[in-house]
Amino acid sequence: MNKIADYDTYDYDYSTYWAKREYEHKAEVIVLNKILKNVHGQWFLDIGGSFGRLTSTYSKQFSNLVIIDYSLKTLQKNYKALKKKYPNLELIAANAYFLPFKDKSFDGGLMVRVLHHIEKPKQCLEEIYRTMDEDGVYIQEYANKLHIKAILRAIFTLNFNIFSKKPYQQPNKDNNEGAKKGSKVLFFNYHPQYIINLFKEIHFTVLKTYGCSFLRLNILKKLFKSNILLFWEKIFQQTLSWTNISPSIFVKTVKLGKREQNKPSTLKDILVCPDCKSSLNFNAETAICSQCKKSFTKKENIWDFRI
C-alpha cells in the first residue's frame, strides 16, 4: 500500500501554512495565469486542490471544475465558501493513485505542492494520464532538488550526491506539516531531468518549464515587501526559467491527440469506481460499484471516494 499524506489524522489546517506565504502564493498565481492564458475546455481537475487556493487561475477557462483532495475535513470546511464563489466547482475526497473518473474525462488539470508527498510518482501520473483527454493540458509543479541554495550548499560541503537524478528525501526535522511532530513525512525533491524522463515514459509531451519562487528566502521576505519581490519574480520567471535554479518548477505538458467532443455535463456522468473503474449505481447519497460492489457515500456535501 502506498503511503498517504493524511492531513485529517491530526486535524491539520493547510490554509494556515499559507497565512504567511503571500509571496510564494502570488508567484505561483503568476506562473499559472501565464500557462493557462489560452487554455480552454469543459472539465478541469485540480489534484490536491485543498481549500481552493489556485481555483481563480483556471475557473474562467473551463465550464466544469473539480477539486480532489485526500483531506475530507478540508473539503467539508471550505465547501460553502467555494461553491458560493465558484458554482461550477465540485469537491471530491479521493486518493490520487485511484481517481474516480472515466478515461479521458478532463481537458485540463494541475497538481501543485503535492508531488513531494507522492511515494510512487510514476504510478500516480499514469493514473492522471488516463483521466486526461487527448489535447488536454496538464501542469505539474515539483520541488527542485537542484535549486541554487542546494547547489551552493553541495559545493561548500563537497557533497555532490545532490546532482544524482534520484529523488531526494528531505530530512524529517521541521518538516512535519500534516503529521504529528516527530513522524516520518514523505517529502521528496526531484531532479529536473528525472521529471522530464518520467513524463516521456508516461507519454505526456513536455511543452515548457517555468521557474517559480526564485526569491524564496526568509531574509529577503523580511527585508522587502511582497510587491517588490513579485516585481523581480516576474522578471526572473521570464529570463531565468531555463536555468532550473528555482526551488519550485512548473511543467506544462499535453496529451497529444484529437480531443473527444460532447463530454458529459454532470459529475455523476464521469464518476466511476476508483478501484476497478466500473460504473456506479447512485441512490440518494450512496454510490455502489456495479462490478466489485464497493460502496461510497456523500458526507456533508462531499463524495468520499478514498481507498
Side-chain angles (χ1 to χ4, degrees), residues 18-272:
W18 291 97
K20 296 182 179 180
R21 289 173 169 82
E22 180 187 16
Y23 159 69
E24 288 91 336
H25 166 67
K26 290 186 175 179
E28 294 179 359
V29 168
I30 291 170
V31 171
L32 289 173
N33 283 338
K34 188 184 304 180
I35 296 174
L36 291 165
K37 185 177 181 180
N38 296 311
V39 178
H40 302 277
Q42 188 171 345
W43 287 91
F44 189 91
L45 179 63
D46 186 345
I47 302 157
S50 188
F51 60 98
R53 180 175 67 89
L54 299 170
T55 310
S56 64
T57 64
Y58 54 78
S59 61
K60 295 179 181 178
Q61 298 94 308
F62 292 84
S63 307
N64 302 283
L65 318 174
V66 179
I67 286 178
I68 72 154
D69 201 280
Y70 199 78
S71 175
L72 176 63
K73 291 180 180 179
T74 296
L75 297 176
Q76 290 171 333
K77 177 181 178 181
N78 294 280
Y79 175 81
K80 289 184 179 179
L82 285 172
K83 285 294 285 186
K84 183 177 180 180
K85 192 171 184 180
Y86 307 103
N88 58 335
L89 174 64
E90 302 287 352
L91 306 178
I92 295 177
N95 182 337
Y97 291 105
F98 303 96
L99 297 175
F101 307 111
K102 293 179 180 179
D103 294 2
K104 302 181 181 180
S105 290
F106 296 96
D107 304 315
L110 60 76
M111 180 195 283
V112 178
R113 300 276 186 149
V114 176
L115 196 66
H116 55 260
H117 288 320
I118 299 295
E119 183 183 19
K120 297 179 180 179
K122 184 179 180 182
Q123 180 181 332
C124 181
L125 289 170
E126 285 175 336
E127 177 69 343
I128 294 169
Y129 183 87
R130 178 186 67 79
T131 67
M132 289 293 141
D133 198 355
E134 272 81 7
D135 197 38
V137 171
Y138 174 67
I139 303 160
Q140 180 66 64
E141 182 274 341
Y142 66 92
N144 176 25
K145 70 183 290 187
L146 287 184
H147 59 85
I148 187 63
K149 192 165 68 171
I151 292 175
L152 292 175
R153 187 187 302 119
I155 293 173
F156 286 127
T157 60
L158 300 180
N159 179 12
F160 300 111
N161 290 331
I162 195 73
F163 297 104
S164 164
K165 290 186 177 63
K166 294 182 179 179
Y168 168 66
Q169 166 74 62
Q170 285 194 17
N172 295 325
K173 184 180 179 181
D174 298 325
N175 188 30
N176 57 291
E177 63 180 72
K180 188 175 181 180
K181 193 169 184 178
S183 300
K184 186 175 181 180
V185 178
L186 293 175
F187 203 111
F188 293 100
N189 286 18
Y190 295 93
H191 191 291
Q193 193 57 52
Y194 174 90
I195 294 295
I196 297 299
N197 292 342
L198 192 59
F199 276 114
K200 286 181 179 178
E201 287 182 43
I202 299 167
H203 303 301
F204 272 118
T205 298
V206 175
L207 299 178
K208 192 172 181 179
T209 60
Y210 302 78
C212 186
S213 296
F214 284 88
L215 303 173
R216 190 193 297 172
L217 291 171
N218 288 332
I219 185 65
L220 293 178
K221 290 193 288 183
K222 289 178 180 179
L223 290 174
F224 302 102
K225 292 182 178 180
S226 292
N227 62 333
I228 295 174
L229 295 178
L230 291 167
F231 171 81
W232 287 105
E233 174 73 20
K234 290 179 182 179
I235 294 174
F236 292 154
Q237 285 186 15
Q238 191 69 32
T239 60
L240 296 179
S241 286
W242 64 273
T243 63
N244 288 332
I245 62 171
S246 59
S248 179
I249 294 178
F250 284 68
V251 185
K252 180 181 182 181
T253 74
V254 66
K255 182 177 180 179
L256 292 180
K258 187 176 181 180
R259 181 175 296 182
E260 188 174 300
Q261 301 298 318
N262 301 319
K263 284 190 175 62
S265 58
T266 66
L267 179 65
K268 287 183 179 179
D269 289 330
I270 67 169
L271 289 173
V272 294

